[in-house]
């Protein structure tokens, strides 16, 4: 039996730059129709010029593939309506990082004072630009995301017309928040549907599974699986595939990020098959995102998978993927 997916989308992706971009971009563009491209380069993408140039470099790296990079800016509370208007259709979303919370986020937001954020968030509401948020406080690592829920609620209440996307949610608290506010949405990664903290640190430490937010408890994973597998209309697939060179992962001071783009669709297919929810996979990997992000144009692309072993390569360039060397049940043909 073959499985067909139409125009899969990755609504949270790190493509990096230079050599790394050349390695990883084709691994997404060969499979996905488009992806929301994270702006946390060094320096972060915060001008029209930087955004346009980065988009061009991505297009060069993917060659002939049918794939649209949906570009984002790194949130700053100083963005004016005029500035955002000047970005035109190229700007699809803005990504907000609390300062210092994850890779290359030093220039992020310090403190969430609603009046300080109001001008930019009001302009975004008026222009229909979604706000993507890395929702973690700087509290105890296992509690950071649950603690951030009150900030999501404050923002959702103060800016009811703003689409707020809780990025890479990992907790049952975030899942619960989703249904309390009409303007809250979420992305879920592949790895957070599969692993818990036990897989990262329960035995020998697994640097290639270390990421922000860190994987949580079995009951959190259950809550995520439930809404992903039912194709919950406010939830989208966002891999948060975040490549780092092997030496930066297998080191004293391991960089955060799991590299999943070459295996994501195959493993999602296996997960949805196992839970007899294959008919919902299309919603999770494409249809929901199209409905939520009204401002994206999605190129047509058909992906066919078959139950045929796929041995995950040990490395792509300098990057070790999740499940390196292991056999997956489904292949893209
Ligand atoms: C991401 C990265 O490496 O850029 N790392 C991660 O652990 N997910 C940043 C992010 O999305 O937090
Ligand atoms: Zn990310």
């Amino acid at each position: 039996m073959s499985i067909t997916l139409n125009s899969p989308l990755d609504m949270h992706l790190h493509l990096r730059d230079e050599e790394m971009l050349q390695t990883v971009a084709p691994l997404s563009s060969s499979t996905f129709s488009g992806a929301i491209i994270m702006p946390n380069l060094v320096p972060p993408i915060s001008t029209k010029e930087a955004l346009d140039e980065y988009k061009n470099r991505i297009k060069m790296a993917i060659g002939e593939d049918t794939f649209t990079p949906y570009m984002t800016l790194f949130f700053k509370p100083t963005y004016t309506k005029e500035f955002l208007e000047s970005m035109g259709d190229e700007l699809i979303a803005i990504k907000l990082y609390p300062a210092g919370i994850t890779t290359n986020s030093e220039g992020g937001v310090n403190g969430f004072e609603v009046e300080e954020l109001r001008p930019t968030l009001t302009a975004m509401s008026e222009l229909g630009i979604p706000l993507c948020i890395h929702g973690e406080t700087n509290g105890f690592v296992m509690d950071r995301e649950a603690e951030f829920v009150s900030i999501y609620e404050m923002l959702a209440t103060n800016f009811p017309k703003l689409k707020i996307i809780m990025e890479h949610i990992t907790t049952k608290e975030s899942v619960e928040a989703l249904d309390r506010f009409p303007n809250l949405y979420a992305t879920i990664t592949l790895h957070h549907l599969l692993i818990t903290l036990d897989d990262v640190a329960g035995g020998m430490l697994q640097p290639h599974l270390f990421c922000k937010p860190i994987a949580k408890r079995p009951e959190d994973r259950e809550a995520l699986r439930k809404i992903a597998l039912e194709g919950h209309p406010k939830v989208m697939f966002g891999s948060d595939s975040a490549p780092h060179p092997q030496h930066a992962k297998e080191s004293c001071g391991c960089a955060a990020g799991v590299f999943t783009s070459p295996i994501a669709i195959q493993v999602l297919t296996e997960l949805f098959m196992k839970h007899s929810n294959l008919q919902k996979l299309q919603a999770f990997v494409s249809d929901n995102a199209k409905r939520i992000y009204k401002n994206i144009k999605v190129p047509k692309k058909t992906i066919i998978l078959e139950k045929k072993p796929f041995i995950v390569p040990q490395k792509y360039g300098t990057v070790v993927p999740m499940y390196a060397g292991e056999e997956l049940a489904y292949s893209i043909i």
Side-chain angles (χ1 to χ4, degrees), residues 12-14 38 40 95 97 134 168 212 240 242:
H12 182 133
L13 177 65
H14 298 269
M38 289 296 132
N40 63 332
K95 175 72 186 287
Y97 293 90
H134 184 120
H168 43 52
K212 300 288 177 68
D240 195 18

Side-chain angles (χ1 to χ4, degrees), residues 24-330:
V24 301
L27 299 169
S28 286
S29 64
S30 59
T31 307
F32 292 91
S33 263
I36 294 277
I37 310 299
M38 289 296 132
N40 63 332
L41 302 184
V42 185
I45 303 291
S46 60
T47 64
K48 177 154 175 54
E49 199 185 13
L51 184 140
D52 288 343
E53 287 173 1
Y54 187 35
K55 186 169 185 176
N56 284 337
R57 294 197 295 280
I58 295 170
K59 284 190 158 163
M60 295 287 280
I62 64 177
E64 297 297 300
D65 283 348
T66 300
F67 177 87
T68 307
Y70 304 122
M71 304 308 289
T72 64
L73 280 177
F74 189 97
F75 180 89
K76 291 197 190 294
T78 48
Y79 292 150
T80 61
K81 190 169 181 190
E82 293 66 42
F83 169 74
L84 295 177
E85 272 170 334
S86 77
M87 301 297 298
D89 294 345
E90 294 302 330
L91 176 63
I92 299 298
I94 298 183
K95 175 72 186 287
L96 187 155
Y97 293 90
I101 205 68
T102 189
T103 310
N104 305 338
S105 62
E106 290 69 24
V109 170
N110 276 304
F112 283 80
E113 294 303 330
V114 71
E115 291 317 320
E116 199 189 326
L117 303 174
R118 192 176 294 282
T120 302
L121 296 186
T122 302
M124 289 173 64
S125 305
E126 288 171 8
L127 296 171
I129 303 169
L131 176 69
C132 304
I133 303 188
H134 184 120
E136 290 194 284
T137 67
N138 53 13
F140 180 65
V141 68
M142 287 293 279
D143 297 335
R144 287 174 188 179
E145 185 177 300
E147 286 174 4
F148 200 90
V149 169
S150 61
I151 300 175
Y152 281 131
E153 293 182 350
M154 179 275 281
L155 294 172
T157 312
N158 275 281
F159 304 96
K161 293 214 163 69
L162 180 66
K163 271 192 179 160
I164 300 173
I165 297 151
M166 304 187 284
E167 293 295 330
H168 43 52
I169 58 170
T170 62
T171 61
K172 59 180 175 17
E173 285 81 1
S174 297
V175 170
E176 286 158 14
L178 196 59
D179 286 329
R180 283 206 298 274
F181 295 88
N183 55 334
L184 279 187
Y185 302 84
T187 57
I188 301 182
T189 72
L190 172 72
H191 46 286
H192 291 118
L193 290 171
L194 298 170
I195 64 170
T196 68
L197 185 60
D198 245 9
D199 298 288
V200 186
M204 290 175 85
L205 194 64
Q206 300 298 315
H208 298 291
L209 298 181
F210 172 65
C211 68
K212 300 288 177 68
I214 196 129
K216 305 289 188 316
R217 298 173 179 79
E219 56 269 34
D220 293 306
R221 181 180 57 183
E222 267 324 297
L224 300 176
R225 279 192 182 178
K226 182 171 179 298
I227 55 169
L229 288 164
E230 75 186 25
H232 189 300
K234 295 175 87 183
V235 165
M236 307 166 269
F237 174 62
S239 70
D240 195 18
S241 181
H244 292 276
Q246 185 172 19
H247 67 79
K249 296 290 288 173
E250 297 176 10
S251 88
C252 171
C254 166
V258 183
F259 181 54
T260 54
S261 60
I263 62 159
I265 286 290
Q266 300 89 320
V267 181
L268 281 174
T269 301
E270 185 173 352
L271 182 73
F272 277 68
M273 274 299 243
K274 205 163 99 193
H275 292 269
S276 310
N277 281 33
L278 191 62
Q279 76 283 5
K280 300 290 187 193
L281 183 57
Q282 179 64 38
F284 182 58
V285 300
S286 183
D287 297 353
N288 291 350
K290 280 191 215 166
R291 216 180 39 255
I292 296 167
Y293 274 85
K294 294 215 180 332
N295 55 348
I296 57 171
K297 291 192 190 74
V298 181
K300 279 202 170 39
K301 187 165 185 168
T302 304
I303 296 294
I304 299 174
L305 294 109
E306 267 181 11
K307 188 141 197 225
K308 189 169 135 212
F310 169 52
I311 312 277
V312 182
Q314 292 289 353
K315 270 207 239 181
Y316 291 90
T318 59
V319 193
V320 178
M322 186 177 181
Y323 292 149
E326 293 184 38
E327 183 179 303
L328 306 182
Y330 288 84

